[in-house]
Amino acid sequence: MNHLNSMEPGPRPVTPPGPDVSRRSGRAHKAILAATRELVAEVGYQRLTIEGIASAAGVGKQTIYRWWRSKAAILFDAVLDANSQEDGSVELPNTGDVEADLRLVLRESVAAMVDPDNDRLQRAITAEIQTDLAVAGELVRRLLRPQLDATQARIAAGIRDGQVDGSVDPGMVAELLFGPVFHRWLLRTGDLDDAFADGVLDLVLTGIRPR
Amino acid sequence: MNHLNSMEPGPRPVTPPGPDVSRRSGRAHKAILAATRELVAEVGYQRLTIEGIASAAGVGKQTIYRWWRSKAAILFDAVLDANSQEDGSVELPNTGDVEADLRLVLRESVAAMVDPDNDRLQRAITAEIQTDLAVAGELVRRLLRPQLDATQARIAAGIRDGQVDGSVDPGMVAELLFGPVFHRWLLRTGDLDDAFADGVLDLVLTGIRPR
Amino acid sequence: MNHLNSMEPGPRPVTPPGPDVSRRSGRAHKAILAATRELVAEVGYQRLTIEGIASAAGVGKQTIYRWWRSKAAILFDAVLDANSQEDGSVELPNTGDVEADLRLVLRESVAAMVDPDNDRLQRAITAEIQTDLAVAGELVRRLLRPQLDATQARIAAGIRDGQVDGSVDPGMVAELLFGPVFHRWLLRTGDLDDAFADGVLDLVLTGIRPR
Amino acid sequence: MNHLNSMEPGPRPVTPPGPDVSRRSGRAHKAILAATRELVAEVGYQRLTIEGIASAAGVGKQTIYRWWRSKAAILFDAVLDANSQEDGSVELPNTGDVEADLRLVLRESVAAMVDPDNDRLQRAITAEIQTDLAVAGELVRRLLRPQLDATQARIAAGIRDGQVDGSVDPGMVAELLFGPVFHRWLLRTGDLDDAFADGVLDLVLTGIRPR
DNA sequence: TTTTAAACGAGACGGTACGTCCCGTCTTCAA
DNA sequence: TTGAAGACGGGACGTACCGTCTCGTTTAAAA
């Protein structure tokens, strides 16, 4: 199980997701995250309350406070839990065609943002981290950085292949790809779809092709 | 005064919804927006309360509820009030040098985001519009769109000048410029400074120069 | 017109119910008292508000505050207005038969208390005077004392007639008659009807017949 | 402790309505009633507020609303708590002398009404029950009826002793005694003292002595 | 097995803020 | 010039949740 409850130190000095902790709380833990996801999707983040989660999960409030520091931390774990791969690491496909691989990952991002349940969950956590720096850092470290790094790695590979100009900064390119998509999604400045993702990608590719 | 209070009707010919704006007390209105800005900067958005605003502004709560629908709406007017130009329209300089002009506007955006008071205010409103669609639309219409449109217009002018390739979509380019900056600012994925802005601009320019 | 607005000094040093005062406020004045009576009957005293009276009477709030000091004062005038004889004085009939005369007045009191609209109005003013001593005194002076005094006078006449024993205190007897009726009405300790009034009267008469 | 909290269910076998009384915090409960009594005595009923009680008792508002339905209900419990005998039942002394026994109870009533703290409390609850029928019924059942019934019983005993005429209705006599005292107290139509109580008693006794 | 300590559900507690209702005063505007 | 309309600063309402704190009751480990 890769659930990483990184927001909470737990009653013991260090509380990795050790077996004895999980043993006890397993049922409650799952129920809480599931209830959180359902409630966010159902009533929205603004109306999400700890008491609501507790009662929907059939759990005492204290059980929530025992394991999470804040609503943001629960939300974060709920997002992580939903997005969880086995180890949190992300790797882009490398088909040998940079354009195709980037197109795929960008479209996947769009699809994730467009899915209604995910949309609410992501917006909730995005709003929350404006206030909660600890969760913000964790989110970047655990979800955003891996994605950006993987993209960056794929572009670096493209440079080695000769599909991308050697003078470009792969990290910058990654942000150039995801930034506009995120911007459009979060601020709703326009329709977010594959066409937009493709448009971004095409423009960026034009700028980074070997000269 | 050109304050644009877009959340409520304004003294338009027909004003069926909302109270009679002409009766509004200018003193109270100003005090509320000022108090809101001060409090957001001081205690942060999460701890910003209507009661706090009312008491800081020396105003009854009802006076706030009479003119604003939600905390988001107050925040929005506070932002608008702070950013207000004479007519809300934005125009980029046109020195004849696209690169220089875009660099200027992008660096200005970075500067605005980096300013601590502005940072908190902008984060607050960004968080809030995840929930409040009415304010979200208004924000885009009144603040974001004008900025994007002006940038787009400058790029279109660049095409006419022959400084930008005729095949590119100026609107897409505008989002390619602001998206990564916004992304880095909001999610704190890295340092936000002129160097980053320049990096984004250079990469984008590479892609849109006449071929 | 015998309306005596005794609760308020008015904007002039002394404001007897002079014609020029009435001239101005006549319409509004009447409308306010009527609206008060209607609203008390309709929504009860607890939910009676000045704003409600003003809007029901089609009158500005200020107009009410100009002429009355408190809600109790309006209520009081409304009661007075409803009970008003030409001069506020009360006189019991003297048919020559003390028993018959007292029975009549006691039954009339019961009838007034039992009438639903009057009931609410009287309860409202009774509740209010627990707090507002000025109105309390006025009420006693203008409504209760005259009634008690008239009753006392009829009993004194009975003594002169030889129908009542000379040793009794007529004032005490009057309170002995009204006290139990009022007690039963206000506290709802039992059914209030003519039978009860008759029972009280019979018992009292037994005690005061010439010996 | 014989506190009789008649406004909520109490630990009876079946307690469907209301929260689980057994969980009630004794400390909070006592503090609320004490604070209520103090505040009524201090600022009067009109200025008594739930918020005031809560803060004087060092208690959250919700704790009050959890256990009492209305301000009247708190007031009522405060009165009950102050008047509480071991079991709520009242029994008059029977010294063998009806007159002496009734004189005692009537004078005690007067003394209770005249005591300043009690006066305010009693007036407050009397005003409040004009509006709140549930509390009104409870008050009669728990405080007034027992008193009247005990008086009635003493009079009935007087009949058996031959001190009271057999034809009189003992219940009516009880009301004839308390009614005038209550009337004078509540409406302040005159001085309330032992002399008045004695006067009422003498007149009534004259009417009910064996003939 | 039995004991026993933790984690658990439930929910009362002292609080803070909410959004609403009125208060009594003050201001505006149309008749 | 008045008076209806209603905005204003303010206080209290009753409600929703917060995060903490008992309460018994499981329950799973150590004894």
Side-chain angles (χ1 to χ4, degrees):
Chain A
M1 187 236 188
N2 102 316
H3 167 260
L4 302 171
N5 190 345
S6 49
M7 290 297 85
E8 120 296 331
R12 257 75 64 75
V14 185
T15 306
D20 59 327
V21 172
S22 308
R23 209 77 47 85
R24 258 284 180 212
S25 60
R27 201 214 113 254
H29 209 111
K30 282 188 179 79
I32 290 164
L33 295 185
T36 300
R37 276 192 298 270
E38 271 161 39
L39 283 172
V40 170
E42 191 183 320
V43 305
Y45 160 64
Q46 203 79 299
R47 282 201 284 269
L48 179 71
T49 65
I50 300 276
E51 295 196 340
I53 295 172
S55 105
V59 139
K61 279 201 286 179
Q62 202 55 256
T63 301
I64 296 181
Y65 286 108
R66 187 151 29 234
W67 302 109
W68 288 275
R69 268 213 195 115
S70 66
K71 209 160 70 177
I74 312 174
L75 229 27
F76 173 69
D77 271 3
V79 169
L80 257 197
D81 198 55
N83 292 21
S84 67
Q85 287 83 24
E86 266 325 287
D87 58 356
S89 76
V90 177
E91 199 157 344
L92 259 57
N94 186 337
T95 64
D97 178 353
V98 183
E99 177 169 352
D101 293 350
L102 291 176
R103 190 174 311 274
L104 185 69
V105 72
L106 219 51
R107 288 186 169 196
E108 272 175 359
S109 283
V110 168
M113 288 168 166
V114 158
D115 169 69
D117 286 4
N118 222 312
D119 178 278
R120 294 197 111 167
L121 205 49
Q122 300 277 359
R123 285 184 192 278
I125 190 75
T126 304
E128 196 75 333
I129 62 172
Q130 300 313 310
T131 282
D132 188 327
L133 287 187
V135 176
E138 209 59 32
L139 184 81
V140 168
R141 197 171 66 72
R142 305 284 309 286
L143 284 180
L144 302 181
R145 266 272 73 84
Q147 172 80 298
L148 287 172
D149 288 351
T151 307
Q152 172 175 356
R154 182 65 194 83
I155 291 160
I159 294 178
R160 288 193 295 277
D161 294 351
Q163 297 182 31
V164 174
D165 191 89
S167 68
V168 307
D169 173 358
M172 182 72 78
V173 174
E175 290 189 67
L176 224 61
L177 291 171
F178 288 108
V181 169
F182 175 80
H183 183 260
R184 199 170 249 222
W185 168 69
L186 194 82
L187 301 178
R188 303 182 236 244
T189 48
D191 291 340
L192 182 62
D193 50 22
D194 285 354
F196 179 71
D198 289 352
V200 170
L201 181 58
D202 291 347
L203 246 176
V204 171
L205 284 176
T206 308
I208 66 174
R209 290 227 174 75
R211 285 177 281 268
Chain B
M1 188 233 188
N2 98 314
H3 168 258
L4 302 169
N5 189 343
S6 47
M7 288 297 75
E8 28 70 30
R12 281 183 270 122
V14 185
T15 308
D20 180 356
V21 172
S22 67
R23 280 175 178 263
R24 164 178 292 186
S25 150
R27 202 219 113 249
H29 195 92
K30 282 184 182 93
I32 289 164
L33 295 185
T36 300
R37 277 192 298 272
E38 273 161 36
L39 283 172
V40 170
E42 191 182 320
V43 306
Y45 161 64
Q46 202 77 304
R47 281 199 284 269
L48 178 71
T49 64
I50 301 274
E51 295 198 336
I53 296 172
S55 104
V59 140
K61 275 201 287 179
Q62 200 57 53
T63 301
I64 297 182
Y65 286 108
R66 183 150 37 231
W67 300 110
W68 288 275
R69 275 200 182 120
S70 65
K71 211 160 66 177
I74 311 173
L75 229 25
F76 172 68
D77 269 5
V79 169
L80 256 197
D81 196 55
N83 291 22
S84 67
Q85 286 85 26
E86 268 323 290
D87 57 358
S89 75
V90 178
E91 198 157 346
L92 260 56
N94 186 337
T95 63
D97 178 352
V98 185
E99 177 170 350
D101 294 350
L102 292 176
R103 191 175 311 276
L104 187 68
V105 73
L106 220 51
R107 286 184 170 198
E108 271 175 1
S109 282
V110 167
M113 288 168 166
V114 157
D115 169 69
D117 284 5
N118 222 310
D119 178 277
R120 294 196 111 168
L121 206 48
Q122 300 277 359
R123 284 184 192 279
I125 189 77
T126 305
E128 196 76 332
I129 61 172
Q130 300 313 310
T131 282
D132 189 326
L133 288 187
V135 175
E138 211 57 33
L139 184 81
V140 168
R141 197 171 67 73
R142 304 286 308 284
L143 285 179
L144 303 180
R145 266 271 74 83
Q147 172 80 299
L148 287 172
D149 288 351
T151 305
Q152 171 175 357
R154 182 64 193 85
I155 291 160
I159 294 177
R160 290 193 295 276
D161 294 351
Q163 297 183 32
V164 173
D165 191 88
S167 68
V168 308
D169 171 358
M172 181 71 78
V173 174
E175 292 190 66
L176 225 60
L177 291 171
F178 288 108
V181 169
F182 176 80
H183 183 260
R184 199 171 251 219
W185 168 68
L186 195 83
L187 300 178
R188 302 183 239 243
T189 49
D191 290 342
L192 182 61
D193 50 23
D194 285 354
F196 179 71
D198 290 352
V200 170
L201 180 60
D202 291 347
L203 246 177
V204 170
L205 284 176
T206 307
I208 66 174
R209 289 226 173 78
R211 286 177 281 267
Chain C
M1 187 234 189
N2 102 318
H3 168 259
L4 301 171
N5 190 343
S6 49
M7 289 297 84
E8 121 296 334
R12 256 77 63 77
V14 186
T15 306
D20 58 328
V21 170
S22 310
R23 205 77 48 83
R24 256 283 177 220
S25 58
R27 201 215 113 254
H29 210 111
K30 282 186 180 75
I32 289 164
L33 295 185
T36 300
R37 276 192 298 272
E38 272 161 37
L39 283 171
V40 170
E42 192 182 320
V43 306
Y45 160 66
Q46 202 78 300
R47 283 200 284 269
L48 178 72
T49 65
I50 301 276
E51 295 194 340
I53 296 171
S55 105
V59 139
K61 280 200 287 178
Q62 202 55 255
T63 304
I64 296 181
Y65 285 109
R66 197 164 7 249
W67 300 108
W68 289 274
R69 268 213 196 114
S70 66
K71 210 161 69 177
I74 311 174
L75 229 25
F76 172 69
D77 271 5
V79 169
L80 256 197
D81 198 55
N83 292 21
S84 67
Q85 287 84 25
E86 267 323 289
D87 58 357
S89 76
V90 179
E91 200 158 343
L92 259 56
N94 186 337
T95 63
D97 178 351
V98 184
E99 178 169 350
D101 293 351
L102 292 176
R103 192 176 309 277
L104 186 69
V105 72
L106 220 50
R107 286 185 170 198
E108 271 175 0
S109 282
V110 167
M113 288 168 166
V114 156
D115 169 69
D117 285 4
N118 222 312
D119 179 277
R120 294 197 112 168
L121 206 48
Q122 300 277 0
R123 285 184 192 279
I125 190 74
T126 305
E128 196 75 333
I129 61 172
Q130 301 311 312
T131 281
D132 189 326
L133 288 187
V135 176
E138 210 57 34
L139 184 81
V140 169
R141 198 170 66 72
R142 306 284 309 287
L143 283 180
L144 302 180
R145 266 270 75 83
Q147 172 82 299
L148 287 172
D149 288 351
T151 306
Q152 172 175 355
R154 183 63 193 84
I155 292 160
I159 293 176
R160 289 193 295 277
D161 293 352
Q163 297 184 33
V164 174
D165 192 87
S167 67
V168 308
D169 171 358
M172 182 71 79
V173 174
E175 291 190 68
L176 224 61
L177 290 172
F178 288 109
V181 169
F182 176 79
H183 183 261
R184 200 171 250 222
W185 168 67
L186 195 82
L187 300 178
R188 303 182 236 245
T189 47
D191 290 342
L192 182 61
D193 50 22
D194 285 354
F196 179 71
D198 290 352
V200 170
L201 180 60
D202 291 347
L203 245 176
V204 170
L205 284 175
T206 307
I208 65 174
R209 290 226 173 78
R211 284 178 282 265
Chain D
M1 187 234 187
N2 98 314
H3 168 259
L4 302 170
N5 189 344
S6 49
M7 289 296 73
E8 27 71 30
R12 282 185 269 119
V14 186
T15 308
D20 180 355
V21 172
S22 68
R23 280 175 178 265
R24 163 179 290 187
S25 150
R27 201 220 115 249
H29 194 91
K30 282 185 181 92
I32 289 164
L33 296 185
T36 301
R37 277 191 299 269
E38 273 161 37
L39 284 171
V40 171
E42 192 181 320
V43 305
Y45 161 65
Q46 201 79 303
R47 281 199 284 270
L48 179 70
T49 64
I50 300 274
E51 293 197 337
I53 296 172
S55 105
V59 140
K61 277 202 284 179
Q62 199 57 53
T63 300
I64 297 181
Y65 285 109
R66 186 152 32 231
W67 302 110
W68 287 276
R69 274 195 181 130
S70 66
K71 212 159 67 178
I74 311 174
L75 230 25
F76 172 68
D77 270 4
V79 169
L80 257 196
D81 197 54
N83 291 21
S84 65
Q85 287 84 23
E86 269 321 292
D87 58 357
S89 75
V90 177
E91 198 157 346
L92 259 56
N94 185 337
T95 64
D97 178 350
V98 184
E99 178 169 351
D101 293 350
L102 292 176
R103 191 175 309 276
L104 186 70
V105 72
L106 219 51
R107 287 184 169 198
E108 271 175 1
S109 283
V110 168
M113 288 167 165
V114 157
D115 169 70
D117 285 4
N118 222 310
D119 178 276
R120 295 197 111 167
L121 206 48
Q122 300 277 358
R123 284 185 192 279
I125 190 76
T126 304
E128 196 74 335
I129 61 172
Q130 301 313 311
T131 283
D132 189 327
L133 287 188
V135 176
E138 211 57 35
L139 184 81
V140 168
R141 198 171 66 72
R142 303 287 307 283
L143 285 180
L144 303 180
R145 266 267 77 83
Q147 172 81 298
L148 287 172
D149 287 351
T151 306
Q152 170 174 356
R154 182 64 193 82
I155 292 160
I159 294 178
R160 289 194 297 277
D161 293 353
Q163 298 184 32
V164 174
D165 191 88
S167 68
V168 308
D169 172 357
M172 182 71 79
V173 174
E175 291 189 68
L176 224 62
L177 292 171
F178 288 109
V181 168
F182 175 80
H183 183 259
R184 199 171 250 221
W185 167 69
L186 195 83
L187 300 177
R188 302 183 240 243
T189 48
D191 290 341
L192 182 61
D193 49 21
D194 285 354
F196 179 70
D198 290 352
V200 170
L201 180 59
D202 291 347
L203 246 176
V204 171
L205 284 175
T206 308
I208 65 174
R209 289 228 173 76
R211 287 177 279 267

